[in-house]
């Protein structure tokens, strides 16, 4: 028997980092949004008792280093199911190392899929608890939609949806390592913070322009030379008519928010010519489990 699920990419409408905690993690404050750009996942049961993955990308691990495999292990252990072999097949479309939670989203999709396969064994909040064991962004990806994520990213609050728009995502050739950027923050304290309260108010008002004016990611200001390319892509997005543009997560992908489909299509086409990856997507509503 084969089960299928989609794993939706995440973007940061804002990203703020607070103090470093005693446990080494930073206190985060992020407005998160899932988009329709997704990986396709299928799971089939096997007789060998092993959990393994395969994907269309050769450089992604197929063992427990793959977050999808890790999530399956966490689920089966929590559900006290032993000896069940699973083969996870991933068709990756979300760019890797882009700050779009590709791996986390695959992991969350595995949790949803296995929960369906095992007759809704866990509630949404139980699945989010399991997700925390897999990684910081996984809990958000379980339901997705628009949410405020605090703590390590696991304290979640559903928010009103992002108003209808087109979103152009562009990823330059390089990736940026998450631990590396956090280290830079420790030596250069954050100078500007996003107006998160203003974004929450604008979401409540359904005011896309006010949201876009306030989009901000503190990682763009850490003094990394790669941010020059990020800034170039952002300014291209604005030239093509975006209401706002920022880098998502720890990058390297940048997105721009558009109201006009034709302008978004044109921006993606032009950016694709210059950088490795560009596509048009749109906000994905939350999956209410
Ligand atoms: P985040 O937004 O959570 O920081 P990211 O988009 O920057 O994530 P990913 O694309 O999720 O980063 O993955 C980065 C690393 O994780 C890669 O080096 C990859 O080898 C590893 N990885 C583990 N599982 C997966 C997966 N299912 N899909 C993609 N990468 C994975």
């Amino acid at each position: 028997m084969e089960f299928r699920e989609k794993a939706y990419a995440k973007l940061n409408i804002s990203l703020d980092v607070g103090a470093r905690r005693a446990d080494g993690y930073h206190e985060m404050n992020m407005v998160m949004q899932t988009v329709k750009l997704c990986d396709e996942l299928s799971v089939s049961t096997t007789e060998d008792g092993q959990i393994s993955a395969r994907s269309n990308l050769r450089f992604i691990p197929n063992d427990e280093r793959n977050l999808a495999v890790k999530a399956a292990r966490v689920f089966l252990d929590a559900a006290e199911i032993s000896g069940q072999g699973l083969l996870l097949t991933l068709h990756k479309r979300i760019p890797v190392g882009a700050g779009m939670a590709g791996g986390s989203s695959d992991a969350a999709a595995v949790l949803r899929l296995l929960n369906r396969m095992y007759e809704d064994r866990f509630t949404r909040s139980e699945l989010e608890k399991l997700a925390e064991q897999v990684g910081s962004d996984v809990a958000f990806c379980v339901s997705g939609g628009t949410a405020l994520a605090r703590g390590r990213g696991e304290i979640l609050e559903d928010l009103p949806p992002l108003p209808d728009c087109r979103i152009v995502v562009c990823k330059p050739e390089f990736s940026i390592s998450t631990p590396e950027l956090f280290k830079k923050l420790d030596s250069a304290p954050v100078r500007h913070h996003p107006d998160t309260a203003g974004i929450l108010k604008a979401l409540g008002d359904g005011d896309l322009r006010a949201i876009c004016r306030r989009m901000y990611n503190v990682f763009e200001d850490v003094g990394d030379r790669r941010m020059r390319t990020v800034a170039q892509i952002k300014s291209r997005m604005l030239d093509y008519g975006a209401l706002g543009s920022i880098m998502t997560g720890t990058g390297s992908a940048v997105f721009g928010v558009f109201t006009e489909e034709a302008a978004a299509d044109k921006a993606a086409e032009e950016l694709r010519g210059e950088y490795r990856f560009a596509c048009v997507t749109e906000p994905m509503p939350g999956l209410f489990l």
Side-chain angles (χ1 to χ4, degrees):
M1 184 98 152
E2 196 185 64
F3 286 77
R4 290 173 180 278
E5 187 72 27
K6 288 188 162 92
Y8 297 98
K10 149 250 121 170
L11 296 174
N12 285 92
I13 301 298
S14 67
L15 192 160
D16 198 5
V17 182
R20 191 154 182 261
R21 312 189 310 199
D23 63 4
Y25 286 102
H26 287 80
E27 201 58 49
M28 309 296 290
N29 195 17
M30 311 180 278
V31 177
M32 320 270 268
Q33 174 67 52
T34 44
V35 290
K36 290 189 177 167
L37 172 65
C38 63
D39 293 344
E40 306 274 349
L41 188 111
S42 67
V43 173
S44 47
T45 51
T46 60
E47 302 298 320
D48 62 5
Q50 306 291 316
I51 304 175
S52 61
R54 61 181 181 196
S55 86
N56 56 322
L57 299 181
R58 265 180 301 126
F59 55 88
I60 286 182
N62 287 331
D63 54 19
E64 299 236 354
R65 286 169 301 164
N66 191 309
L67 293 184
V69 174
K70 196 171 164 195
R73 169 56 55 217
V74 165
F75 183 97
L76 293 183
D77 287 351
E80 297 178 338
I81 297 163
S82 58
Q84 177 63 66
L86 296 173
L87 174 63
L88 316 178
T89 305
L90 301 173
H91 185 85
K92 299 276 317 167
R93 285 208 218 92
I94 305 172
V96 177
M100 300 179 76
S104 303
S105 162
D106 292 343
V110 165
L111 294 176
R112 287 196 303 272
L113 186 152
L114 291 179
N115 207 41
R116 205 156 24 94
M117 202 163 133
Y118 290 101
E119 289 146 3
D120 293 331
R121 182 74 60 102
F122 300 111
T123 62
R124 170 182 171 181
S125 72
E126 286 168 341
L127 279 187
E128 288 173 350
K129 276 267 165 266
L130 295 183
E132 280 175 44
Q133 296 177 39
V134 185
S136 301
D137 282 346
V138 184
F140 164 72
C141 294
V142 167
S143 285
T146 314
L148 182 68
R150 290 177 300 115
R152 286 168 49 194
E154 82 288 7
I155 304 169
L156 296 167
E157 195 182 310
D158 288 332
L159 295 173
L162 189 68
D164 187 35
C165 60
R166 293 288 183 278
I167 299 175
V168 175
V169 180
C170 174
K171 180 183 177 290
E173 295 224 17
F174 57 84
S175 291
I176 302 176
S177 128
T178 302
E180 192 191 334
L181 274 204
F182 272 103
K183 221 179 258 163
K184 288 201 173 191
L185 267 191
D186 289 336
S187 53
V190 176
R191 293 186 295 181
H192 307 288
H193 294 274
D195 174 13
T196 309
I199 293 178
L200 300 189
K201 160 103 178 40
L203 277 168
D205 294 342
D207 185 344
L208 186 63
R209 279 170 198 278
I211 296 163
C212 290
R213 262 202 308 278
R214 291 173 175 81
M215 295 197 306
Y216 185 66
N217 179 343
V218 298
F219 283 122
E220 288 179 38
D221 194 33
V222 294
D224 184 293
R225 72 189 152 68
R226 289 167 294 190
M227 294 308 162
R228 274 190 226 145
T229 306
V230 166
Q232 276 162 9
I233 300 173
K234 284 172 50 160
S235 93
R236 286 278 149 71
M237 293 271 191
L238 299 175
D239 289 346
Y240 294 126
L243 295 183
S245 176
I246 62 167
M247 182 176 83
T248 177
T250 52
S252 59
V254 173
F255 68 95
V257 178
F258 292 76
T259 48
E260 302 297 326
E261 190 170 351
D265 288 344
K266 170 95 173 123
E269 194 186 314
E270 298 286 336
L271 288 164
R272 212 174 293 127
E274 271 182 84
Y275 302 94
R276 180 185 274 184
F277 174 94
C279 72
V280 183
T281 186
E282 53 191 284
M284 176 71 197
L287 306 163
F288 293 102
L289 304 177

